Amino acid sequence: MTGRLSQIWRYPVKSIGRQKLDSARLEVGRTLPWDRHWAVMHDSATQRLTDGDQLAGWLPKAAFLRGAAGPELQAISGGMTNGKLCLQHPTAGEIELDPTKDEDHASLLDWLRPLWPADKPEPALLVTGPVPLTDSRAPFISILSLDSLRAVESHVGQRLGVERWRGNLWVEGFKPFAEREWIGKCLRIGGATVILREGIGRCAATSVDTDTGEPDHDMIRVLTEGFGDACFGVYAEVLTGAEIAPLDEIIVVELDETEPRSESLTA
């Protein structure tokens, strides 16, 4: 089976913004570079920081602002450009800041507060840690299928777009939901090789229109009733690193046990 890589996306701040890339470097046992490098922690989770207000390790998504709890966050676009975080929202406007400078963090929190529900713990800190703050503790990348997306869009009778799913790599040229059969198999993406580890269970954030920040479809119900379960996309571990770009050929192959493995997942 062969297809091609169509799109590459990263999300420098967890649940806040999105950025389409022209290319990316995959590294063995790592996430996409700068993906979920930062996150905005809310007040009720700050007790999990060290004395110096630092993260000692990975934390689950419930510790941070996220689209499932604050739908308006889903309408934020933008990412890193020349060392600056540049974000846009249809009602909040634009903001540009340097996320490495503590003095810029307050302006981001002020910009986010009107977009976050008033009955939820307030945005408290922009944080980073020793590992990326992805939903999975393991250093995975996410791979989603445009062919599967088209099948879901046909089912609901409306364009949904790629943005609500917040995937890293979008592939096409396969049958819809073929990726569910790839668990335990490898994809060769240009010069890189990844192994598919598990399906991605979806949350309420996918039920939000990313143009407006308003809920439109119950995507968990759509996936479960129309396609068997609430998974959309798969998590993958990088076995062989390489530079990748849209239009790279993708080949589905059985796992070659001679491929190098990520120490983080084999130790």
Side-chain angles (χ1 to χ4, degrees):
M1 284 186 289
T2 62
R4 68 184 180 95
L5 178 62
S6 180
Q7 300 178 29
I8 305 172
W9 291 79
R10 73 178 177 192
Y11 310 87
V13 183
K14 185 180 184 73
S15 298
I16 297 169
R18 52 185 180 265
Q19 186 171 25
K20 194 175 183 180
L21 302 177
D22 294 330
S23 64
R25 176 84 188 176
L26 297 186
E27 299 286 352
V28 175
R30 295 187 179 183
T31 61
L32 202 69
W34 297 100
D35 191 47
R36 280 82 170 186
H37 184 80
W38 293 277
V40 177
M41 181 172 276
H42 54 69
D43 269 341
S44 65
T46 54
Q47 73 275 11
R48 305 185 73 170
L49 296 171
T50 66
D51 290 341
D53 283 344
Q54 300 295 313
L55 278 180
W58 180 87
L59 286 178
K61 61 185 177 181
F64 308 108
L65 270 62
R66 61 199 192 280
E72 286 197 72
L73 299 181
Q74 285 286 86
I76 299 175
S77 58
M80 291 295 294
T81 303
N82 298 323
K84 297 283 189 177
L85 185 62
C86 304
L87 301 173
Q88 304 86 37
H89 185 274
T91 60
E94 300 182 1
I95 187 172
E96 180 178 305
L97 65 134
D98 185 341
T100 66
K101 294 183 177 179
D102 291 344
E103 57 267 29
D104 280 8
H105 292 186
S107 61
L108 176 61
L109 299 180
D110 289 342
W111 187 78
L112 288 170
R113 281 191 182 93
L115 306 178
W116 183 244
D119 61 347
K120 297 287 195 301
E122 283 203 354
L125 289 168
L126 179 67
V127 297
T128 187
V131 295
L133 300 171
T134 52
D135 284 357
S136 171
R137 184 188 295 269
F140 291 151
I141 60 172
S142 57
I143 298 179
L144 285 68
S145 164
L146 287 178
D147 306 287
S148 301
L149 176 59
R150 293 181 188 114
V152 176
E153 290 177 330
S154 178
H155 183 77
V156 300
Q158 181 181 329
R159 180 188 177 278
L160 300 171
V162 301
E163 291 84 357
R164 70 177 67 209
W165 307 99
R166 303 186 72 79
N168 294 135
L169 308 184
W170 284 89
V171 305
E172 64 179 337
F174 304 97
K175 70 178 183 180
F177 291 94
E179 64 275 16
R180 292 183 174 181
E181 303 168 4
W182 296 345
I183 305 302
K185 296 182 180 181
C186 291
L187 298 184
R188 297 197 189 279
I189 307 172
T193 304
V194 304
I195 180 170
L196 286 304
R197 291 299 189 193
E198 59 190 54
I200 303 174
R202 290 300 172 171
C203 69
T206 60
S207 298
V208 178
D209 183 333
T210 54
D211 288 334
T212 65
E214 297 290 334
D216 58 357
H217 294 282
D218 183 345
M219 293 311 306
I220 297 173
R221 181 175 179 178
V222 168
L223 290 169
T224 302
E225 294 185 354
F227 302 94
D229 61 45
C231 289
F232 188 82
V234 288
Y235 282 129
E237 174 194 354
V238 180
L239 298 181
T240 305
E243 190 83 10
I244 61 171
L247 301 182
D248 280 350
E249 184 181 50
I250 295 177
I251 303 173
V252 183
V253 297
E254 297 296 330
L255 173 63
D256 180 352
E257 295 295 345
T258 66
E259 292 279 6
R261 298 290 306 282
S262 165
E263 291 183 2
S264 65
L265 298 182
T266 58

